[in-house]
Amino acid sequence: MKYTEEHEWLLAESDDLITVGITNHAAEQLGDVVFVELPEVGTEVSKDDEIVVIESVKAASDILAPLDGEIVEVNEALADNPGKVNEDPQGEAWFFKIKPSDLSPMDDYMDEAGYKDFIG
Amino acid sequence: MSADTTSSDLKKTPLFDLHQELGGKMVPFAGYAMPVQYPMGIMGEHSHTRTRTGLFDVSHMGQVILTGDSYEAVARAFETLVPMDVLGLKEGRQRYGLFTNDAGGIEDDLMFANRGDHLFVVVNAACKDADIARMKAALEPAVTVTPVTDRALVALQGPGAEAALAALTPAARDMSFMDVATLDLDGVEIWVSRSGYTGEDGYEISIPEAHAETVVRKLLAQDGVAPIGLGARDSLRLEGGMCLYGHDIDATTGPIAASLGWAIQKVRRPNGDRAGGFPGAAAVFAEIEAGASQRRVGLKPEGRAPMREGVLLFKEAEGGEPIGRVTSGGFGPTVGGPVAMGYVSADLSQVGTTLFGELRGKRQPITVHALPFVAANFKR
């Protein structure tokens, strides 16, 4: 598992498939999530594009694409049950799967120990 | 992600230590360190208040006593600042009011009560210094304006509020909505009104600072009473259709545009016995006669996406100029979906009118909805 400074986690299922979600820490900071807007499957995204909108009872925030690539699957269950993001952010409540066209940013992302230091 | 926000220049209420002990997440609000939520979380706290009982610290609000030769003298003077019937308010009763400015805009909203020999006023935290200055400038020396700085203020709200307070001071049970009374709670003099900012039955309770924590601990020990933060206070009042000053009403919005005309009693309206005589009366009367060009309405976004303050509203799904804007919006836990309020052109303010809100560059349907979103549960 790799982590971004935007509090996303990335799990490499293979070199062709990376699953992306938000961390427990991020979910806790957001508070109760009430709305999730996901990208469409097949969308070509560039790193740092705003591709997911999350609204909590407190505020709206974005998730950025962590890599260049194509969205190949999204977690439709979150649209009907956004509260899942609070229940299991690092498991069932993944957001999307991306087929990366450039894996090099993965090297810059933090490992678990690095992320723990990052959030203090 | 979050900095330490309890910096030393923030004021603390008499309940600050208790908030920390209860796990309150403290944030700056109107110059005070206030709990935005407790470990239960905003959604849970909201639902708890609707189904059980919530206890809110609102000590940051301004409590002010106005005294003079008699209640009548004070009331007549206060009527020069507000378009309400103050003189006709019976002893032991409270009323909602508005300070207006010379243009007929709203400088603050407030509660005022006839407490026999004086008028007791509660104003918003962010406006209290200006309100006190306004009252002193306009009313002294005939009326003495005394800010109450040694009392906490808490709200006890929800279907269990009566049982909780009556267990400690039985006379609370005999009060009706908008009654005020001085009660004794284990030897402590509390000033109680049966009112609130949630749409639920409940009380607002002024407690001497030195006894505030003790009294609040006794309330929290009652069955079903939990501490509730500012986050749920906001979603509760939004579902309840109540205005947040500085957002839904401000110095540029008049009472009629704000759909608060009901708060101006007949006696202060055109042809009333004490018509006018408050700041901006001519402008307010013009709006009463001709109607306002914009109206504050409830708004229900379609789908699940909240439309928050600042979202622009359009008549059509494409093109055209904005015909209004959202002034408060978020998720309504009791409604189970997004709720909002805002201003729209008067000709588009009918309940059921479908408009479009622009969200992240896309227009989504949003329908004019009756207020409140959740039926009030007051003890009339």
Side-chain angles (χ1 to χ4, degrees), chain B residues 95-115:
Chain B
R95 195 163 263 174
Y96 178 71
L98 306 164
F99 287 122
T100 50
N101 59 32
D102 290 338
I106 300 169
E107 290 290 314
D108 196 7
D109 64 345
L110 60 134
M111 287 289 191
F112 59 94
N114 176 347
R115 288 178 43 87

Side-chain angles (χ1 to χ4, degrees), chain A residues 7 25-26 29 31-35 37 53 55-60 62 79-82, chain B residues 1-2 25 36-37 40-44 304-308 330-331 333 359-360 362 364:
Chain A
H7 305 281
H25 173 78
Q29 293 292 316
D32 302 303
V33 173
V34 297
F35 173 74
E37 188 175 272
V53 176
E55 299 247 8
S56 75
V57 285
K58 291 181 200 158
D62 298 305
D80 294 331
N81 189 5
Chain B
M1 224 164 157
S2 68
K25 185 173 167 190
V36 66
Q37 65 170 83
M40 192 188 285
I42 293 173
M43 199 104 89
R304 295 190 68 106
M307 292 199 198
R308 298 182 194 270
F331 185 80
L359 206 55
R360 298 177 276 271
K362 281 182 279 185
Q364 317 259 19

Side-chain angles (χ1 to χ4, degrees), chain B residues 52-261:
Chain B
R52 308 290 301 274
T53 312
L55 189 138
F56 306 72
D57 181 10
V58 290
S59 304
H60 56 316
M61 297 185 80
Q63 306 177 62
V64 187
I65 285 175
L66 305 188
T67 48
D69 288 342
S70 62
Y71 176 80
E72 184 187 333
V74 174
R76 284 189 186 278
F78 197 61
E79 285 193 0
T80 66
L81 292 176
V82 300
M84 281 73 219
D85 178 8
V86 187
L87 193 56
L89 182 65
K90 290 194 171 68
E91 184 173 344
R93 295 287 292 163
Q94 175 178 268
R95 195 163 263 174
Y96 178 71
L98 306 164
F99 287 122
T100 50
N101 59 32
D102 290 338
I106 300 169
E107 290 290 314
D108 196 7
D109 64 345
L110 60 134
M111 287 289 191
F112 59 94
N114 176 347
R115 288 178 43 87
D117 60 350
H118 68 273
L119 188 71
F120 180 58
V121 179
V122 178
V123 299
N124 282 304
C127 303
K128 68 182 174 185
D129 292 345
D131 289 339
I132 290 162
R134 175 184 302 107
M135 289 189 279
K136 282 181 183 271
L139 307 179
E140 287 187 340
V143 169
T144 306
V145 177
T146 311
V148 179
T149 54
D150 57 356
R151 296 182 80 94
L153 189 67
V154 300
L156 188 68
Q157 302 279 296
E162 182 184 84
L165 187 57
L168 299 168
T169 179
R173 204 178 285 285
D174 303 327
M175 297 174 71
S176 294
F177 183 59
M178 292 296 227
D179 278 353
V180 298
T182 299
L183 301 180
D184 176 281
L185 195 156
D186 296 342
V188 176
E189 181 184 294
I190 58 173
W191 305 341
V192 182
S193 67
R194 193 150 194 172
S195 54
Y197 193 48
T198 61
E200 297 300 321
D201 180 26
Y203 304 87
E204 290 167 300
I205 308 164
S206 173
I207 312 164
E209 189 174 36
H211 300 282
E213 190 179 316
T214 311
V215 168
V216 167
R217 282 186 191 279
K218 286 177 182 172
L219 289 167
L220 288 171
Q222 302 301 310
D223 185 39
V225 180
I228 309 295
L230 291 178
R233 182 169 159 83
D234 190 51
S235 54
L236 287 158
R237 70 90 198 166
L238 177 56
E239 283 185 343
M242 284 171 265
C243 291
L244 175 59
Y245 189 79
H247 300 261
D248 307 305
I249 48 176
D250 62 29
T252 69
T253 54
I256 304 303
S259 301
L260 296 173

